Amino acid sequence: MADEALVEMVRSFVAAEVRPVAEELDETERFPAEIYERMGGLGLLGVTVPEADGGSGGTTLDYVEVMEELSYGYSSVADQCGLVELVGSLLSAFGTPEQKEAHLHGLLAGTRRCAYALTEPGAGSDLGGLATTAWRDGADWVLRGEKVYIHNAPVADFALVLAVTDPERRKRGGMSMFLVDADAPGVRRAYKEKKMGQRASPVGGFVFDDVRLPGSALLGAEGEGFGAVLRVLEKGRLGIGALANGISRAALDTAREHARTRHQFGRPLADNQAVAFSLADMATDHEGARLYRDARSPRSTRAPARSSA
């Protein structure tokens, strides 16, 4: 699919399915499962996952464009797209056929909910400080630890968990990834955050109390988890940047429309020079952020956001 067609398809979807319910979702904190199933049907989950694994086989720029357009409608929806992109990419790259059948296909269809369990009370940006551990017990693994600030923890069907498997080596070959059933014995959903924004994107914690995992729960080779996680986090940062850019474009459009239609002292607010200057600054900042994205690519599918106030 040409990227222009992709952008127009996502814009149409957002206008019809996301923007009309965004306010209700943010107010009620409802998880919009029906929206994600429709996104799965349109190929908007797992944008860069290869077609052979059920993804769309798109480029990273395609993913960035999808994230920005979804976020323009409601950032919680884009947040879910970004989460599936990261977990789906790891499952595609490292999963066995059995793991893909159990988790990846439903994830990309929007019918299975994942969590990406990295952050801990004492380790967030510094993943080398993880305290969650897993050790072998015969053919099984035993997982113990706590994760906090985890997207989808309150609603997930499964979590991809990063744990220390060799305390001596840690991030230099001593961390591994595990696929953990969120309802398995010993797994506890610890809490749900009360958020100020993106309220339909639930965040919470997990406690793993000596959770027994089969050997097949290991994703990828033992000790390769840290490098794998960093690899997809690079793409994740691009997605978050695009999410922020979608929010800024929506804010600019909303502010500009209000300035044009709201009248004070017999004229639109936009006729006030101070207001017009503020809108111009917003438009400049947004366009600058968009150009950062396009600087590495000859493609540009959108006209610059400009203020005529």
Side-chain angles (χ1 to χ4, degrees):
M1 179 183 293
D3 64 287
E4 292 88 353
L6 173 64
V7 170
E8 288 306 314
M9 184 265 282
V10 181
R11 284 183 176 174
S12 296
F13 173 78
V14 166
E17 305 285 350
V18 179
R19 289 187 69 84
V21 298
E23 184 174 351
E24 175 259 319
L25 292 176
D26 209 64
E27 181 177 349
T28 63
E29 303 184 36
R30 180 175 67 83
F31 185 87
E34 73 284 356
I35 288 179
Y36 302 133
E37 289 189 33
R38 292 176 196 140
M39 287 171 58
L42 292 171
L44 299 181
L45 297 175
V47 177
T48 69
V49 172
E51 293 184 48
D53 283 330
S56 297
T59 65
T60 300
L61 182 57
D62 291 331
Y63 165 59
V64 166
E65 289 173 336
V66 169
M67 285 291 286
E68 181 172 334
E69 295 301 329
L70 290 174
S71 183
Y72 181 85
Y74 183 37
S75 56
S76 282
V77 173
D79 210 17
Q80 187 74 10
C81 175
L83 173 63
V84 172
E85 183 69 29
L86 299 190
V87 175
S89 294
L90 288 170
L91 278 165
S92 174
F94 298 100
T96 64
E98 293 76 18
Q99 288 172 332
K100 292 177 182 180
E101 180 65 30
H103 301 291
L104 181 59
H105 299 165
L107 187 64
L108 300 183
T111 58
R112 191 155 174 78
R113 306 172 187 180
C114 67
Y116 195 26
L118 304 183
T119 304
E120 298 182 6
S125 299
D126 177 19
L127 288 178
L130 291 186
T132 296
T133 58
W135 62 92
R136 289 187 180 276
D137 185 12
D140 295 342
W141 290 89
V142 180
L143 177 69
R144 179 188 297 167
E146 180 182 5
K147 300 290 183 177
V148 296
Y149 306 131
I150 304 303
H151 182 189
N152 266 11
V155 299
D157 296 310
F158 73 99
L160 194 159
V161 180
L162 184 66
V164 176
T165 48
D166 185 342
E168 297 298 321
R169 302 184 68 182
R170 302 190 67 80
K171 63 183 180 181
R172 293 177 176 83
M175 294 185 182
S176 305
M177 299 180 293
F178 295 90
L179 296 168
V180 181
D181 184 339
D183 294 317
V187 178
R188 177 162 56 90
R189 302 175 201 262
Y191 69 98
K192 180 180 178 182
E193 288 284 353
K194 187 171 179 61
K195 300 172 64 179
M196 295 176 66
Q198 293 183 212
R199 287 159 53 84
S201 179
V203 168
F206 287 114
V207 173
F208 305 108
D209 186 10
D210 291 355
V211 180
R212 183 165 291 275
L213 302 171
S216 60
L218 181 67
L219 179 64
E222 182 179 348
E224 292 186 354
F226 185 78
V229 162
L230 289 187
R231 189 174 76 178
V232 298
L233 285 180
E234 292 176 354
K235 182 166 56 175
R237 292 185 178 100
L238 293 175
I240 293 300
L243 182 150
N245 215 30
I247 294 173
S248 76
R249 180 158 58 93
L252 173 62
D253 286 353
T254 300
R256 186 166 50 198
E257 180 63 19
H258 180 75
R260 288 171 174 168
T261 58
R262 171 73 170 172
H263 286 67
Q264 289 288 293
F265 306 106
R267 61 177 183 171
L269 289 178
D271 287 353
N272 184 306
Q273 190 176 64
V275 174
F277 282 177
S278 294
L279 290 171
D281 286 343
M282 290 172 64
T284 300
D285 289 343
H286 171 74
E287 178 64 6
R290 193 184 69 85
L291 289 173
Y292 272 119
R293 183 209 69 184
D294 290 343
R296 302 295 293 272
S297 169
R299 302 188 328 192
S300 181
T301 61
R302 285 189 288 276
R306 302 187 187 280
S307 173
S308 58

